[in-house]
Every structure is written in structure tokens, then in C-alpha cells.
Amino acid sequence: MSHYLFTSESVTEGHPDKICDQISDAVLDAILEQDPQGRVACETCVSTGLVHIMGEVSTSCYVDIPRITREVIRDIGYDRAKYGFDCDTCGIIVNLDEQSGDIAMGVDKALENKTGEESDLQNGAGDQGMMFGYACDETPEKMPLAISLSHKLARRLTEVRKQGLVDYLRPDGKTQVTVEYDEQRRPVRVDAIVISAQHAPEAALAQIREDMLALVVKPVVPAELLDENTRYYINPTGRFVIGGPQGDSGLTGRKIIVDTYGGSAPHGGGAFSGKDPTKVDRSAAYAARWVAKNVVAAGLAARCQVQLAYAIGVAQPVSVLVETFGTGKVSDDRLGEAVKKVFDLRPSAIIRDLDLRRPIYRQLAAYGHMGREELGVAWEKTDRVDALLEALR
């Protein structure tokens, strides 16, 4: 394969869809803080002046959902009407019911326990579906370079706003990075950078472009990846004043590629935010990342993709597939067998090993769920490297 370009995007915490993800995960965190066994499937949508929170929740505790919602919106930065969305005056509708008893029956006791096959870790998967994990050696955190840089640019854009380095930025924003790869699939340069930053109406476009290059791009993107042919598209429409829920409606789970690998790997059937860890859409996706990252960290492959699949109410995955795209030091079949020996991929075991019944989720709801080493999440640990190598001996 000759040189080629690959692109990934990210969004800031003030993007309408990410507002929804953060509200849903803040509700989840508040419940888990009081009731670690709580069952939560919470989705949020926002539009001009309105937040609608819906789904299924089964818990023994009470949480003040409107208060949590307003706190999230305030923390993001929508705290005055002239931004198009105001945490203190927006309407909030809460429409939550209990988890279906039909679903709870399969989660509470796995099929294997009903048939006498197992006696521990009884929970079954909360739904059917397939989940993907991925890792590669392009960055220290074992993430693809394009999504890594996109997230860092989006986070930096928010830092510049919240630190007051300029006075015209608003919470909404998007970033995008195009990386050029060589014949060996190694990243060699950044070909294009896109930044769309919501701003005050009086801000001049020329000033915005100058500031974004100096304060956002230069501190984030390594200089050796930029050259005279790198293209910059900063607020390419020329104006981005109306943003957030006033400019576009938002919905939980509509940025799933931003949440994972920026398109470098497939995504399974479900979103993450607002779901407690009995939902394998979330917990098994974290487990698959954990597996893939340990494979790459062990030097067993330059790229690794893991697919897990489950049946509702069944503890053991119905399939485990490991693929290294020709970069593996051993065959994918041998690697897959080693993974099954080293990792217990039943939902209860994943929850236990990754310590998922804690209120850790809102911090993941913006800037990606994978590669977040700075948060200390367990699925980013490379603690099974030695066990994998031993299993292959």
C-alpha cells in the first residue's frame, strides 16, 4: 500500500451530543456512589432551552436529577442566556422507569447457573451484542495517532476557554486531524487540522485563526509532524456564534466513534454513556481494550483488534476473536487461546477486575473512553503482559 491519509475527529464537552453523554454519566455516577448495585440505562437529549432525561433505573437510593443536570451544564460553561443555553433557566423533563423484569432475570442469574454449570460470578450479560477493542503502537498510550491528537486539540481548546487565555470562546467546538501514513502503515506527518470553535459575535476571524494556531495547535501537535504542506482549516465557514443546543439538538450515544478509536477500528452495537457496567456494551468494550492494549504492550503485535460477543443472560462470551493484521509475533489462533487463559471475560469478572462499580464515568464522557491513562482507569493498565507471555511459552 502506498502513502495514504486517515482522519479522525473529536468534539469538546460543550458539543450538544457530549452535553448529553455527560449528563447521563453524571446520573449514573450519582447512583453508583450510593448504590453500587444500581441498574442504570439513562439517555439524554437536549434542544434549545430543554433537557429530556429518559430510560430505565432500578435503585434503592434517591438522586436529585434536575440538580445534577444543572451542575453539569454549568460546569461545561453554559451559564448565561447569551451563550444560547442557560443551566439555571433551561427546562428539564425526567422520564425514568424501572428496568424490565425480563432483562433483570437474565442479568441477576446467568444461564450457566440455572443449568448448574457454574457457581460463582453469577451475572449474565445484560444484552446480546458484539464489542470491539483496539490498540496499536503509534502513541505511548497505544492509541491511533489521529484520534489521540484530535482529543488533545479538543481538550486544549476547552482549557484555553476555561483558563481565560482568550475572552471570546464559547463551549461548543470540534477538532479533526488527518495523518499521512507510509507504505509500512507508520504515521509520518500531519496533513490537515480542522478546528471549529464557537465564539462571541464580536470576535474577528483573523484573530481567532491566529490564536487557535498559537494557543491550541502549536502546544499540542509535535513540531516534527508539521511541515510547510500541512493544511489548517480554522472556523472554515467564517462564523460559529450559534452553537450548543441552540445550534443543534444533542443525544446520548451519538458520538460513539469519538468515544473509541476514531474509525481506526470497528465499533460494536451500543453506546457507553448512561449505562451501568452490567451492560456489556460498556464493560465488555473496556475489557476488549484492556486485552488489546496488553497484547501490544507485550510486544506480541504492532496492532491488535479484539472482538467479544455475548448472548443476553449468558455469562461466557459466545465468541472471542483476536486479530493482529499480520503484525503478530505468533499466530492469531495461538494468541486468542492465550487471551482466553489469561482474561476472564464473564461480565461479573470484568466488573470485578476493572473495578467498574465506582462513580468514574462522567470524566470519561468527553475526550474519549480509551487511552485515558491520566484518569487511572483499570482498562488502560498493562498488568497482564507477563501472564500473556507465560501463556504462550
Side-chain angles (χ1 to χ4, degrees):
M1 192 174 187
S2 61
H3 281 232
Y4 64 96
L5 302 177
F6 187 84
T7 302
S8 295
E9 70 159 350
S10 183
V11 297
T12 68
E13 60 201 55
H15 185 280
D17 295 329
K18 278 292 151 198
I19 296 173
C20 296
D21 287 341
Q22 290 167 93
I23 292 171
S24 294
D25 271 339
V27 171
L28 171 63
D29 280 353
I31 291 172
L32 291 179
E33 191 169 13
Q34 299 182 58
D35 178 14
Q37 302 298 322
R39 301 278 172 82
V40 182
C42 174
E43 299 192 17
T44 304
C45 62
V46 296
S47 187
T48 305
L50 182 65
V51 183
H52 187 179
I53 301 159
M54 54 201 152
E56 297 79 43
V57 173
S58 297
T59 181
S60 59
C61 71
Y62 169 78
V63 296
D64 188 342
I65 292 176
R67 179 185 60 79
I68 292 167
T69 299
R70 295 190 192 281
E71 287 177 354
V72 170
I73 298 168
R74 178 178 290 106
D75 185 59
I76 290 169
Y78 287 112
D79 56 3
R80 60 202 68 186
K82 70 177 182 178
Y83 292 174
F85 201 63
D86 186 347
C87 59
D88 293 314
T89 60
C90 64
I92 298 175
I93 300 172
V94 179
N95 182 22
L96 296 171
D97 205 345
E98 289 187 334
Q99 183 183 58
S100 161
D102 295 345
I103 296 174
M105 181 172 60
V107 176
D108 293 338
K109 190 170 184 179
L111 177 67
E112 291 93 331
N113 283 281
K114 296 173 185 176
T115 58
E117 296 177 32
E118 296 188 28
S119 59
D120 65 335
L121 301 176
Q122 295 193 10
N123 294 129
D127 201 354
Q128 71 176 44
M130 67 291 183
M131 298 82 211
F132 288 91
Y134 183 78
C136 63
D137 61 2
E138 294 179 16
T139 61
E141 68 272 24
K142 305 293 187 287
M143 286 288 286
L145 181 60
I147 189 65
S148 178
L149 290 176
S150 294
H151 283 323
K152 290 175 181 177
L153 288 169
R155 290 174 65 186
R156 178 60 182 169
L157 183 58
T158 296
E159 289 171 2
V160 168
R161 172 175 62 88
K162 288 189 170 183
Q163 292 174 8
L165 300 183
V166 297
D167 61 3
Y168 54 77
L169 286 177
R170 301 292 186 255
D172 200 355
K174 303 180 78 171
T175 60
Q176 184 173 284
V177 176
T178 300
V179 174
E180 181 179 337
Y181 287 78
D182 64 15
E183 296 87 346
Q184 284 76 46
R185 300 183 66 96
R186 307 303 306 174
V188 293
R189 58 182 291 273
V190 169
D191 185 73
I193 294 173
V194 182
I195 296 177
S196 294
Q198 186 189 12
H199 59 85
E202 64 271 14
L205 180 59
Q207 187 64 53
I208 295 171
R209 289 176 172 169
E210 179 182 337
D211 290 341
M212 294 303 98
L213 279 172
L215 298 174
V216 179
V217 175
K218 300 300 182 184
V220 167
V221 183
E224 63 269 20
L225 294 176
L226 303 173
D227 59 30
E228 67 278 5
N229 295 317
T230 299
R231 295 168 290 159
Y232 301 95
Y233 301 96
I234 297 174
N235 282 18
T237 68
R239 182 178 168 87
F240 185 8
V241 173
I242 299 174
Q246 183 186 23
D248 190 11
S249 61
L251 180 65
T252 297
R254 203 157 57 179
K255 286 289 177 286
I256 55 177
I257 300 302
V258 170
D259 287 340
T260 53
Y261 308 102
S264 291
H267 192 287
F272 302 154
S273 290
K275 296 178 180 176
D276 75 81
T278 66
K279 280 72 171 174
V280 285
D281 281 340
R282 176 167 229 158
S283 54
Y286 293 162
R289 162 66 178 172
W290 184 37
V291 173
K293 186 171 183 179
N294 274 269
V295 168
V296 174
L300 294 169
R303 299 165 59 216
C304 180
Q305 178 179 293
V306 176
Q307 188 203 50
L308 307 177
Y310 293 84
I312 187 170
V314 181
Q316 290 287 355
V318 299
S319 69
V320 178
L321 174 65
V322 178
E323 186 171 359
T324 60
F325 309 96
T327 70
K329 300 297 177 62
V330 299
S331 71
D332 289 351
D333 288 342
R334 281 192 64 201
L335 195 50
E337 291 304 313
V339 164
K340 293 175 189 177
K341 291 179 183 178
V342 171
F343 295 89
D344 188 341
L345 295 170
R346 294 174 295 173
S348 290
I350 293 171
I351 292 170
R352 175 198 66 199
D353 293 341
L354 299 183
D355 198 11
L356 296 179
R357 291 199 185 278
R358 298 179 296 130
I360 60 173
Y361 297 107
R362 184 192 160 188
Q363 62 185 342
L364 296 160
Y367 314 116
H369 294 244
M370 312 304 177
R372 302 296 299 277
E373 293 182 339
E374 79 280 5
L375 300 179
V377 290
W379 57 93
E380 292 300 321
K381 294 180 179 179
T382 53
D383 53 354
R384 298 295 174 92
V385 165
D386 291 340
L388 277 172
L389 294 173
E390 179 62 31
L392 288 166
R393 288 195 180 101

